[in-house]
Amino acid sequence: MADTREPGRQLQVETHGLDVIGDAERKGTSRTLFWPWFGANVSVLGLSYGAFALGFGISFWQALAAGVIGIIASFLLCGFIAVAGKRGSAPTMVLSRAAYGVRGNRLPSVVSWVLTVGWETVLIALATMATATVFTRLGWGGGTETKVVALVVVCALTVAGGVMGFDLIMRLQTVITVVTGVLTVVYVVLVADHIHWATVSAIPSGSAQEFIGALVFMMTGFGLGWVNAAADYSRYLPRTSSSRGVIGWTAFGGSVAPLLLLVFGLLLAGSSATLNKAVAADPIGALTTILPTWFLVPFAVVAVLGLVGGAVLDIYSSGLALLSAGLPVPRYLAALVDGVLMIAGSIYIVFFADDFLGQFMGFLTTLGVPIAAWCGIMLADLALRRRDYDEADLYRPAGRYGDLPPLPLLLTLAATALGWGLVTNTAASWLTWQGYLLGPLGLGGKSGAWAYANLGVLAALALGFLGTLLLARGRVHAQETETSGAPATLA
């Protein structure tokens, strides 16, 4: 978002937590949403998604179609939910109380918190491994000592951004956008001669089920990983901001870089079976193997900054989700708690985990199901509303939105149970219990053609949306016709 502070004003720790942003502090236009979303998604990790997509056993054109549809559709979902921010002035997981009730909303808040902490952990681990790979190629050592130093530096940048809050994040994202954008273009130019179209075009086509699996993976890896934070930045916009602009600039900012990176990533991975396989073990570091030595340090810079750009937004939103789940501490302390967990998780991935891609796909799919259910409920709730939120009642269990309404909670549990029954994660041993509905529903069981289509994510999204649209209309109407209550107090 554009920097609207007075010139020369020093950075300060953001004091806002779950509270409503006052009209005097709401500035900018919808187009300024481009910067945080572009900066968070310009990471060279987008190149690795080319190898991930081809890993489903599909052709270049199928992978491209799955990526384009998955990326654009998922970031449009972010755009729709971002509208709630400018209508309600509060963080995403506070606005969700309108659908779930004040205390009932703690369920999706906990899921949101786990997802964002998981994402920031993955991004930090990738930045650390990429740095170590670059140092190894340069002959500067890439062992334990290098990884420890890289981990400390990357974590320090991320935690600092999360603790300081909105002001620093918006400054960081502008710098990250420019630096990573330029250096990524240079990377593309330098490795373009490694593309062999004849090899890429010869990749055989996969089945419809494999295509759907790649499509859902793209959705969960991009926009569906951000929907639970989509309103955290639009809440600073004036209420008069264009809703179409909020949707458009959020979706455009989030999807434009991943789309371009995916195309090039598909061409690179499709040209080399060796590179394709290496990406599974070290998604960022593997991309250095085709670089000239002189560009390794700039590549390390672009890789680390791009990953930090995403991790900073994640740690900021994870802190807000933790507060919404009920932790009674200031926002900056919640971000600090998340930072500690992020460091612990990164240490495990960098120093102890053997199979990155299997665990990563298992994590995305498993948490993608309940988040998809929440997203469907949230989107339907937004579609049913004709008025802005009553901000005071978002914080009062006795207010119009209620405390523990059974419908959204039961719908979330049902959609999650359905979704987990339709996905499989054999690469992650702790998730082999999933897929229990594939046999009873005649879809071939856990080893059949539909086993890796990840239908559960789409099923959870659809059930959450349609169930709310059909069953919550009366509840929303009653909320919007109730007289306004007292001023907001945090809860």
Side-chain angles (χ1 to χ4, degrees), residues 236-264:
Y236 281 89
L237 290 176
R239 300 176 193 276
T240 54
S241 300
S242 164
S243 294
R244 289 185 179 180
V246 169
I247 296 169
W249 285 106
T250 298
F252 179 63
S255 62
V256 62
L259 285 172
L260 297 174
L261 291 169
L262 174 68
V263 172
F264 200 74

Side-chain angles (χ1 to χ4, degrees), residues 144-190:
T144 301
E145 295 82 0
T146 300
K147 291 177 180 177
V148 169
V149 173
L151 186 62
V152 169
V153 172
V154 172
C155 286
L157 286 172
T158 303
V159 173
V163 170
M164 291 296 291
F166 186 80
D167 263 0
L168 180 58
I169 287 173
M170 303 325 289
R171 287 190 180 188
L172 277 176
Q173 294 302 77
T174 302
V175 173
I176 288 171
T177 295
V178 174
V179 174
T180 55
V182 171
L183 292 180
T184 300
V185 170
V186 176
Y187 175 89
V188 169
V189 172
L190 289 175

Side-chain angles (χ1 to χ4, degrees), residues 446-477:
K446 295 184 181 181
S447 59
W450 288 98
Y452 301 101
N454 292 328
L455 287 177
V457 175
L458 298 178
L461 178 66
L463 180 57
F465 182 80
L466 294 175
T468 303
L469 209 60
L470 292 173
L471 302 175
R473 188 177 302 274
R475 178 171 176 262
V476 172
H477 178 72

Side-chain angles (χ1 to χ4, degrees), residues 100-113:
Y100 280 87
V102 174
R103 283 193 300 166
N105 190 62
R106 290 181 180 179
L107 173 63
S109 293
V110 169
V111 175
S112 173
W113 174 67

Side-chain angles (χ1 to χ4, degrees), residues 62-209:
Q62 286 178 311
L64 180 61
V68 170
I69 297 170
I71 291 170
I72 293 177
S74 62
F75 277 113
L76 276 173
L77 298 181
C78 289
F80 290 129
I81 290 179
V83 172
K86 71 105 176 178
R87 289 176 62 178
S89 319
T92 313
M93 298 313 297
V94 170
L95 299 169
S96 177
R97 292 175 178 178
Y100 280 87
V102 174
R103 283 193 300 166
N105 190 62
R106 290 181 180 179
L107 173 63
S109 293
V110 169
V111 175
S112 173
W113 174 67
V114 174
L115 179 63
T116 47
V117 170
W119 259 115
E120 67 204 41
T121 300
V122 166
L123 296 176
I124 294 305
L126 287 175
T128 302
M129 291 190 292
T131 303
T133 302
V134 168
F135 273 55
T136 299
R137 280 206 60 197
L138 289 171
W140 297 349
T144 301
E145 295 82 0
T146 300
K147 291 177 180 177
V148 169
V149 173
L151 186 62
V152 169
V153 172
V154 172
C155 286
L157 286 172
T158 303
V159 173
V163 170
M164 291 296 291
F166 186 80
D167 263 0
L168 180 58
I169 287 173
M170 303 325 289
R171 287 190 180 188
L172 277 176
Q173 294 302 77
T174 302
V175 173
I176 288 171
T177 295
V178 174
V179 174
T180 55
V182 171
L183 292 180
T184 300
V185 170
V186 176
Y187 175 89
V188 169
V189 172
L190 289 175
V191 301
D193 60 342
H194 288 269
I195 294 174
H196 307 290
W197 176 247
T199 304
V200 175
S201 59
I203 299 174
S205 298
S207 65
Q209 294 91 333

Side-chain angles (χ1 to χ4, degrees), residues 306-364:
L307 293 167
V308 167
V312 165
L313 260 65
D314 274 321
I315 196 171
Y316 179 74
S317 292
S318 68
L320 293 173
L322 187 56
L323 295 180
S324 183
L327 186 68
V329 298
R331 184 205 58 80
Y332 63 88
L333 283 182
L336 194 58
V337 169
D338 290 347
V340 172
L341 295 174
M342 173 192 74
I343 293 170
S346 300
I347 290 172
Y348 169 75
I349 293 175
V350 172
F351 296 103
F352 300 103
D354 295 324
D355 175 21
F356 171 81
L357 183 57
Q359 307 298 325
F360 179 53
M361 293 180 70
F363 163 75
L364 281 184

